[in-house]
């Protein structure tokens, strides 16, 4: 076995453990499936607990561990909340009005399983419940300014200046001629990057990062988010388990403009690698060296090699 294969296996094993831990935390905050609202609660659990990597809560926790972790008690609320926001975005992204996908994470999408109206409502409910969950952190750590800053950051990065903003420009871009690289970068930065930035910055804030350390983490996260999206675009062409639910190369066949359209396959790979290298340099400058975080970031950038 090559050295790279051994390293990949180690990261995957460690990642599996962290994924289970994150799922344990998320499950604690799930609403009980009962009463007249049972169906929506089932749909929320279905969307949230179907097998995903839980990267955002894991990145959050690992970023907190790069600091002196001044408020670990608020962390689980935000870990669960960010995954709820991610899950809602996937549910809505799969709806007929958006990507119209029938499979996600190897299973029927939420609207395919529960119907379109329930798909819309389950997404709405997960978004609302995410903030209900994050706001509960005030009850345990309400005097901590880092908690207040984290709540504002979460709202902003998930909203019109973040993920939703990126999705809006993406949807509108389907109807315009001549997508340019600047617009595509803007879409990626917001649609994919904003939630990764929120995850890592909230982790840093709750770990006790100061303003300049927070900026360093935000810069690293932006690079990781873009590298992650580039890898996703590469996977859409080369095919992998991540494309489950989408025909291999479908974006290319549908003439959807992706990062690969501008940079070519090799250029895209090179860009993802250099973004990752820069992000690792940023992370290496934080007070505590977090080997797993560094390994994870490097692994994400080479997951289709
Ligand atoms: C509907 C407001 C709204 C936003 C949708 C997340 C998103 C924005 C769209 C999904 C489409 C897409 C390919 C986005 C790129 C980001 C990405 C690769 C998401 C998938 O994240 P993973 O790989 O998924 O972490 P799992 O299933 O592991 O959680």
């Amino acid at each position: 076995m090559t050295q790279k294969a051994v390293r990949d296996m180690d990261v995957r094993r460690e990642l599996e453990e962290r994924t289970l831990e994150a799922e344990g935390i998320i499950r604690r905050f799930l609403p009980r499936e009962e009463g007249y609202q049972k169906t929506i609660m089932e749909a929320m659990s279905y969307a949230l607990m179907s097998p995903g990597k839980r990267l955002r809560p894991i990145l959050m926790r690992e970023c907190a561990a790069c600091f002196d972790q001044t408020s670990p008690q608020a962390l689980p609320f935000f870990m669960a909340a960010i995954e709820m926001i991610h899950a809602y975005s996937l549910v809505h992204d799969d709806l007929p009005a958006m990507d119209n996908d029938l499979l996600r994470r190897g299973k029927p999408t939420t609207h395919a399983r529960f119907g379109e109206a329930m798909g819309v409502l389950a997404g709405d409910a997960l978004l609302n419940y995410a903030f209900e969950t994050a706001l509960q952190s005030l009850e345990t750590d309400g005097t901590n300014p880092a908690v207040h800053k984290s709540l504002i950051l979460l709202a902003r990065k998930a909203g019109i200046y973040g993920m939703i903003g990126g999705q809006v420009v993406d949807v509108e871009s389907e109807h315009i001629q001549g997508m340019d690289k600047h617009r595509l970068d803007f879409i990626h930065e917001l649609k994919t990057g904003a939630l990764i930035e929120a995850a890592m910055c909230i982790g840093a804030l709750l770990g006790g990062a100061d303003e300049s350390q927070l900026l360093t983490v935000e810069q690293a996260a932006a690079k990781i988010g873009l590298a992650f999206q580039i890898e996703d675009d590469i996977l859409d062409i080369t095919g992998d388990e991540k494309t489950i639910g989408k025909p291999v190369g479908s974006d290319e066949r549908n003439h959807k403009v992706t990062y690969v359209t501008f940079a070519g396959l090799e250029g895209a790979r090179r860009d993802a690698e250099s973004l990752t290298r820069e992000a690792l340099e940023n992370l290496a400058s934080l007070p505590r060296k977090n080997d797993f975080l560094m390994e994870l970031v490097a692994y994400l950038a080479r997951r289709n090699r």
Side-chain angles (χ1 to χ4, degrees):
M1 217 191 277
T2 64
Q3 226 181 354
K4 177 188 163 292
V6 174
R7 263 176 58 211
D8 281 0
M9 216 171 66
D10 287 346
V11 186
R12 267 202 298 269
R13 197 178 307 127
E14 186 93 30
L15 183 57
E16 265 169 41
E17 259 176 48
R18 312 275 168 135
T19 299
L20 285 176
E21 267 175 47
E23 283 177 347
I25 290 172
I26 296 159
R27 203 171 281 116
R28 276 182 11 217
F29 293 97
L30 275 174
R32 204 166 295 174
E33 294 169 14
E34 59 187 12
Y36 283 131
Q37 306 98 311
K38 190 171 186 287
T39 309
I40 185 118
M41 289 167 182
E42 270 174 18
M44 288 164 77
S45 300
Y46 180 85
L48 192 60
M49 298 319 293
S50 66
K53 295 181 288 299
R54 318 298 172 199
L55 281 179
R56 292 149 192 82
I58 291 172
L59 285 170
M60 187 183 286
R61 170 177 256 178
E62 296 310 317
C63 280
C66 292
F67 299 89
D68 298 320
Q69 200 129 1
T70 49
S71 48
Q73 61 274 44
L75 203 52
F77 298 96
F78 284 94
M79 286 173 70
I82 198 123
E83 190 64 15
M84 288 172 197
I85 293 175
H86 172 58
Y88 117 76
S89 79
L90 298 180
V91 172
H92 279 188
D93 192 59
D94 291 334
L95 285 170
M98 298 226 196
D99 269 8
N100 197 16
D101 272 318
L102 293 174
L103 280 174
R104 161 84 53 194
R105 296 168 168 172
K107 294 172 70 178
T109 47
T110 306
H111 74 271
R113 166 82 171 71
F114 292 88
E116 197 177 332
M118 209 50 74
V120 173
L121 289 167
D124 292 342
L126 277 166
L127 175 59
N128 198 78
Y129 203 65
F131 282 97
E132 194 174 331
T133 304
L135 284 161
Q136 281 174 44
S137 64
L138 291 173
E139 286 168 6
T140 55
D141 204 8
T143 56
N144 186 346
V147 170
H148 291 239
K149 284 184 187 159
S150 296
L151 288 167
I152 293 167
L153 195 83
L154 186 66
R156 193 172 176 92
K157 296 274 184 193
I160 52 170
Y161 303 107
M163 185 181 69
I164 293 176
Q167 180 76 353
V168 166
V169 180
D170 195 16
V171 167
E172 281 187 335
S173 300
E174 279 170 28
H175 309 290
I176 60 157
Q177 288 287 310
M179 163 82 95
D180 60 75
K181 175 84 165 39
H182 183 265
R183 192 175 173 99
L184 187 71
D185 284 347
F186 179 87
I187 292 169
H188 290 165
E189 204 180 302
L190 268 61
K191 187 176 106 168
T192 314
L195 221 52
I196 292 178
E197 285 171 34
M200 294 180 64
C201 288
I202 290 170
L205 274 169
L206 297 179
D210 64 25
E211 282 300 317
S212 105
Q213 290 163 335
L214 187 65
L215 194 63
T216 302
V217 172
E218 189 172 28
Q219 285 164 351
K223 290 167 196 159
I224 292 165
L226 184 53
F228 188 68
Q229 178 65 56
I230 296 173
E231 287 298 317
D232 206 60
D233 290 347
I234 294 172
L235 285 170
D236 265 339
I237 292 169
T238 57
D240 190 79
E241 81 277 6
K242 313 287 184 316
T243 57
I244 285 168
K246 270 186 183 177
V248 170
S250 59
D251 281 349
E252 286 299 290
R253 280 206 295 279
N254 294 337
H255 307 296
K256 184 165 182 189
V257 177
T258 73
Y259 197 93
V260 179
T261 317
F262 291 105
L265 205 52
E266 274 319 299
R269 285 192 168 128
R270 263 198 314 275
D271 289 353
E273 272 166 24
S274 58
L275 284 160
T276 303
R277 209 174 317 114
E278 286 169 32
L280 289 173
E281 279 167 22
N282 289 143
L283 295 176
S285 72
L286 300 177
R288 286 192 185 186
K289 188 159 178 288
N290 183 339
D291 289 332
F292 173 67
L293 177 61
M294 308 289 265
E295 284 292 334
L296 175 62
V297 169
Y299 169 74
L300 290 176
R302 61 169 193 265
R303 69 194 199 276
N304 60 346
R305 308 282 196 272

